[in-house]
């Protein structure tokens, strides 16, 4: 994801709020995201990008069989530190390398080993904007130490403006269509894969299930949204949608699923402001 975001239009700054209202499983989730990146130009049009991303998740589960509020599991913190190098291979292609140390924890105690993980991404980015039907392509592999199996996984993103008013996007974690109302406004539909993995500093004791030492969630969402460009580099946006699939689970020290917190569908709302290049 870091390479995907950096390769297209780096976020110099982004502030975003996401909300999933309470569903039939009694789960409610909100997220505040803050992103800051500093692009540094090097010789021969190469770039070094130094940045960070902070996500604060507030999780509220109202169920009779588990009391998360008593276990310190209401708030999760995910902090990424990104160091990326973008090498200009030729007029169209850029080669990208990203290192991302991550802190993902409840932060209820002093930091411990389980709070830290590591991501690494290498890939290429091709940008063809000065043609009749502009395209962007991102391709590469990414390694995430919290994902099983622990092997580099491929990723692909392809975008094409096949009509003056229409653009399609194919890839993961995002696929969709854009309708360009004018130079300042667009409507976009998206199919998104989203999720998180967080270490629990205080292990949760579950009846008949043992100790939970981490929490994870994965979801597939369908959304539609509107973006308004305030200037060439600044925009505001808002999206709404619904989950097609989601699974929030507690895991033991070996990362085996031991308790399902939330597997019911939810509505989804997201809005934000960004400054990009």
């Amino acid at each position: 994801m870091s390479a995907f975001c950096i390769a297209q239009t780096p976020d110099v700054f982004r502030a975003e709020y996401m909300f999933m209202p309470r569903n039939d499983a009694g789960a409610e989730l909100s997220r505040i995201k803050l992103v800051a990146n500093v692009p540094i130009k090097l010789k021969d049009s190469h770039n070094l990008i130094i940045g960070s991303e902070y996500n604060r998740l507030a999780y509220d589960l109202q169920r009779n069989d588990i009391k998360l509020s008593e276990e310190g599991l209401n708030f999760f913190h995910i902090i990424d530190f990104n160091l990326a190098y973008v090498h200009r291979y030729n007029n169209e292609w850029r080669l990208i390398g990203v290192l991302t140390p991550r802190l993902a924890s409840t932060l209820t105690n002093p930091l411990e080993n389980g709070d830290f993980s590591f991501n690494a991404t290498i890939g290429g980015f091709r940008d063809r904007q000065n043609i009749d039907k502009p395209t962007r392509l991102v391709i590469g592999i990414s390694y995430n130490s919290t994902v099983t199996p622990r092997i580099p996984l491929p990723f692909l993103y392809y975008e094409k403006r096949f009509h003056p008013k229409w653009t399609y996007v194919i890839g993961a974690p995002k696929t969709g269509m854009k309708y360009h109302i004018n130079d300042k406004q667009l409507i976009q539909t998206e199919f998104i894969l989203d999720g998180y993995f967080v270490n629990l500093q205080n292990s949760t004791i579950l009846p008949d299930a043992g100790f939970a030492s981490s929490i994870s969630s994965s979801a597939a969402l369908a959304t539609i949204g509107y973006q308004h460009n305030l200037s060439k580099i600044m925009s505001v946006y808002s999206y709404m949608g619904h989950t097609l699939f989601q699974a929030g689970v507690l895991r033991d020290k070996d990362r085996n699923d031991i308790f399902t917190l939330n597997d019911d569908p939810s509505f989804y709302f997201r809005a934000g402001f960004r400054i990009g290049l």
Side-chain angles (χ1 to χ4, degrees):
M1 276 298 295
S2 298
F4 163 76
C5 293
I6 289 171
Q8 288 195 81
T9 52
D11 285 333
V12 175
F13 176 79
R14 180 190 292 262
E16 180 181 284
Y17 178 75
M18 183 274 290
F19 179 62
M20 299 176 73
R22 197 173 310 281
N23 61 7
D24 291 341
E28 177 183 294
L29 177 67
S30 64
R31 179 181 66 196
I32 296 173
K33 178 195 294 286
L34 298 173
V35 179
N37 288 300
V38 179
I40 302 172
K41 289 186 177 181
L42 305 176
K43 64 178 182 179
D44 299 325
S45 298
H46 306 325
N47 290 274
L48 182 69
I49 300 177
I50 301 172
S52 181
E53 177 178 323
Y54 171 68
N55 288 271
R56 177 187 179 274
L57 297 107
Y59 192 68
D60 184 9
L61 183 67
Q62 296 184 359
R63 288 176 51 168
N64 295 325
D65 51 352
I66 184 171
K67 301 294 184 181
L68 291 185
S69 59
E70 298 176 2
E71 302 294 341
L73 302 182
N74 291 106
F75 299 101
F76 310 131
H77 307 269
I78 303 174
I79 306 172
D80 285 347
F81 299 96
N82 295 309
L83 178 62
Y85 177 71
V86 182
H87 174 80
R88 180 175 178 176
Y89 182 73
N90 55 34
N91 290 334
E92 291 187 350
W93 281 96
R94 304 292 188 272
L95 303 180
I96 308 157
V98 187
L99 298 178
T100 307
R102 170 173 290 178
L103 168 67
S105 174
T106 51
L107 295 183
T108 52
N109 299 327
L111 297 179
E112 56 189 46
N113 289 337
D115 295 333
F116 297 95
S117 61
F118 178 79
N119 302 335
T121 302
I122 58 173
F125 170 50
R126 187 190 69 191
D127 194 18
R128 292 177 173 174
Q129 295 300 307
N130 297 321
I131 58 177
D132 292 339
K133 298 179 179 180
T135 64
R136 284 174 174 162
L137 172 66
V138 185
I139 190 170
I141 57 174
S142 182
Y143 171 81
N144 186 328
S145 63
T146 63
V147 174
T148 303
R150 294 188 182 182
I151 59 174
L153 299 175
F155 63 85
L156 172 68
Y157 176 93
Y158 181 70
E159 174 184 302
K160 183 173 182 177
R161 190 158 181 171
F162 64 95
H163 182 276
K165 293 287 188 180
W166 290 94
T167 297
Y168 68 78
V169 176
I170 299 175
K174 181 188 295 186
T175 295
M177 294 284 292
K178 301 177 183 178
Y179 176 71
H180 304 267
I181 301 172
N182 50 45
D183 291 340
K184 289 186 174 294
Q185 302 177 84
L186 67 86
I187 296 173
Q188 180 169 335
T189 62
E190 295 179 332
F191 172 78
I192 308 171
L193 301 177
D194 199 358
Y196 60 85
F197 177 94
V198 177
N199 181 57
L200 304 180
Q201 291 187 328
N202 295 325
S203 296
T204 300
I205 303 175
L206 299 171
D208 303 321
F211 291 87
S213 59
S214 61
I215 183 173
S216 68
S217 177
S218 58
L221 307 106
T223 70
I224 184 169
Y226 169 79
Q227 177 177 311
H228 181 80
N229 298 323
L230 303 174
S231 70
K232 187 176 181 180
I233 64 171
M234 291 191 297
S235 62
V236 293
Y237 57 89
S238 62
Y239 289 85
M240 64 179 297
H242 201 273
T243 60
L244 304 177
F245 161 85
Q246 74 171 325
V249 298
L250 293 174
R251 300 175 181 268
D252 62 17
K253 63 179 181 179
D254 297 318
R255 299 185 181 175
N256 298 311
D257 297 359
I258 60 173
F259 190 87
T260 299
L261 295 170
N262 176 26
D263 57 1
D264 283 0
S266 300
F267 285 100
Y268 173 89
F269 303 93
R270 184 173 98 247
F273 167 79
R274 71 179 295 271
I275 301 173
L277 296 180

